[in-house]
Amino acid sequence: MATHSSFEFSINHIDFDENYRPADNTRITTNFANLARGDSRRENLRNTLRMIDNRFNALARWDNPKGDRYTVELKIISVEMRIDAAGNNDVFPLIEILKTAIFDRKTDQRIDGIVGNNFSSYVRDYDFSVLLSEHMKKHPNSGAPEGFGDLHGNLFKHFLNSGAYRENFNKPPVICLSVSSSKTYRRTANEHPVLGFEYHNDDVSATDEYFAKMGMKVRYFMPPNSVAPFAFYHLGDLLGDYTSLELVSTISVMETFQKIYRPEIYNANSAAAELYQPSLKYQDYSLTRIVYDREERSRLAVEQGKFAEERFIKPYRAVLEQWSASHAR
């Protein structure tokens, strides 16, 4: 049986800038990797980074009269897990997230940002694109299989409690995702100066349940001058644990990505109403100048889920199930 020390984590990072090229083991469905491919890669990256900076300065407008005080710096954080089990010593790419930093041109200082933001996981691809898909074909309308997301959630919590995480990051992650197109969201009177109006969703989504197994809660906010709310998954106090500049860095990065990937929702030409149900069939929206193939991204999610199944789930199934059961909490 695997012990606590059988799974060890290592962290690598690479700058996400206009010269970025995806590493061989990067999941190519990730937001950042998808932008850095093809003939338009450099223009894609340059325009994306410009959008991020413009949005950041529009939100961080205090003591920023020209709207050019800050620039956002991004690092792609790749987490590998070493598995020492059954006589094997294997390494598997587990998670990729983004780390923000803010460079203040006025003070010439670099300010720490938030880790998390975008979230990419081979095991999540396996869970949703392989395991859940096959289960629903055999048992339609039955919901997710028993224990769905348990292994992924326990691995994620194990990573957050690891020395590798504590040595590299001083705050828990915040992961920012699109709201669910199958749910309705209701605007409340609660308004945060940076995150904007809070929305509530009384009907928990499958993503909410999945992230709950990772130990994360969710709150929904529509930042000033945004057109739709975002889902902010967090562990502690979203409003109290992070500074305004930290929160602005997440909004500027993830709103930019969502405008590119889900323009029907996040680049719509009208803002969400008090009762809001997002839809990818909405037609009144604008496109960015950034090239992106959404159909390819969906297809690759299945391929990468199968990669996780063959390289990770099948060869270590017994070890992983025993380990997950012993670390459930």
Side-chain angles (χ1 to χ4, degrees):
M1 177 175 173
T3 64
H4 189 79
S5 60
S6 297
F7 298 163
E8 295 180 354
F9 301 99
S10 59
I11 294 176
N12 300 303
H13 57 81
I14 184 172
D15 292 338
F16 179 73
D17 55 26
E18 65 180 56
N19 299 311
Y20 166 68
R21 290 185 182 274
D24 290 340
N25 62 349
T26 292
R27 287 177 68 256
I28 50 178
T29 61
T30 51
N31 292 337
F32 36 85
N34 199 282
L35 293 172
R37 301 166 61 218
D39 296 336
S40 303
R41 58 171 300 279
R42 186 175 290 274
E43 186 178 1
N44 272 355
L45 294 168
R46 188 177 292 133
N47 287 337
T48 299
L49 295 167
R50 186 179 297 117
M51 286 174 65
I52 292 170
D53 282 353
N54 288 343
R55 183 61 170 133
F56 187 98
N57 282 289
L59 285 168
R61 59 190 182 276
W62 56 94
D63 293 337
N64 189 6
K66 294 183 179 180
D68 62 356
R69 176 172 175 173
Y70 302 101
T71 188
V72 179
E73 299 173 346
L74 291 169
K75 288 187 183 295
I76 300 167
I77 308 299
S78 299
V79 182
E80 292 184 330
M81 189 174 83
R82 183 172 297 279
I83 309 162
D84 185 8
N88 296 321
N89 192 359
D90 201 3
V91 174
F92 184 76
L94 192 67
I95 294 168
E96 282 188 327
I97 48 181
L98 283 175
K99 174 72 169 64
T100 62
I102 305 110
F103 183 73
D104 185 341
R105 294 188 179 96
K106 181 177 179 180
T107 64
D108 205 31
Q109 289 182 324
R110 185 166 282 100
I111 304 161
D112 212 20
I114 283 179
V115 65
N117 303 286
N118 184 88
F119 178 75
S120 173
S121 161
Y122 274 113
V123 178
R124 184 174 66 161
D125 276 347
Y126 164 75
D127 279 344
F128 280 96
S129 298
V130 178
L131 179 63
L132 183 61
S133 177
E134 292 177 354
H135 175 80
M136 295 305 290
K137 288 176 184 176
K138 297 176 182 176
H139 310 282
N141 304 316
S142 65
E146 184 178 355
F148 183 73
D150 287 355
L151 172 63
H152 183 270
N154 288 331
L155 288 171
F156 183 77
K157 288 185 284 188
H158 190 40
F159 168 58
L160 294 190
N161 289 325
S162 70
Y165 188 91
R166 291 192 300 270
E167 290 164 11
N168 284 272
F169 313 113
N170 57 18
K171 289 186 179 182
V174 175
I175 296 166
C176 180
L177 300 181
S178 169
V179 286
S180 172
S181 59
S182 66
K183 306 300 178 185
T184 299
Y185 300 83
R186 174 175 47 84
R187 189 188 306 167
T188 72
N190 189 35
E191 184 179 11
H192 185 270
V194 168
L195 291 170
F197 279 108
E198 185 165 18
Y199 278 71
H200 280 174
N201 169 19
D202 296 329
D203 187 9
V204 176
S205 72
T207 301
D208 295 344
E209 292 176 340
Y210 196 78
F211 275 79
K213 293 194 174 184
M214 297 160 59
M216 305 191 87
K217 302 169 288 187
V218 63
R219 294 180 75 170
Y220 307 97
F221 285 92
M222 185 167 75
N225 298 316
S226 295
V227 296
F230 295 84
F232 293 88
Y233 294 91
H234 58 285
L235 280 88
D237 179 0
L238 179 65
L239 307 190
D241 291 347
Y242 304 94
T243 67
S244 291
L245 289 181
E246 287 174 333
L247 294 172
V248 170
S249 72
T250 286
I251 295 166
S252 61
V253 169
M254 296 313 298
E255 183 174 289
T256 295
F257 283 149
Q258 296 293 5
K259 281 184 174 181
I260 296 166
Y261 297 127
R262 286 184 172 85
E264 300 93 335
I265 298 175
Y266 290 101
N267 214 27
N269 294 325
S270 57
E274 290 188 19
L275 280 177
Y276 175 65
Q277 182 173 7
S279 173
L280 291 173
K281 296 180 180 178
Y282 189 65
Q283 294 297 309
D284 186 18
Y285 64 92
S286 300
L287 291 172
T288 67
R289 297 175 58 193
I290 295 164
V291 179
Y292 165 63
D293 186 340
R294 187 157 64 190
E295 289 184 7
E296 180 193 48
R297 188 167 185 249
S298 298
R299 176 177 57 80
L300 289 171
V302 177
E303 292 181 11
Q304 292 175 165
K306 291 179 178 177
F307 167 81
E309 182 179 36
E310 294 300 320
R311 279 280 312 274
F312 187 65
I313 301 297
K314 282 185 175 178
Y316 297 104
R317 186 182 302 276
V319 169
L320 291 169
E321 288 177 353
Q322 286 181 324
W323 176 88
S324 186
S326 68
H327 286 78
R329 59 184 179 198

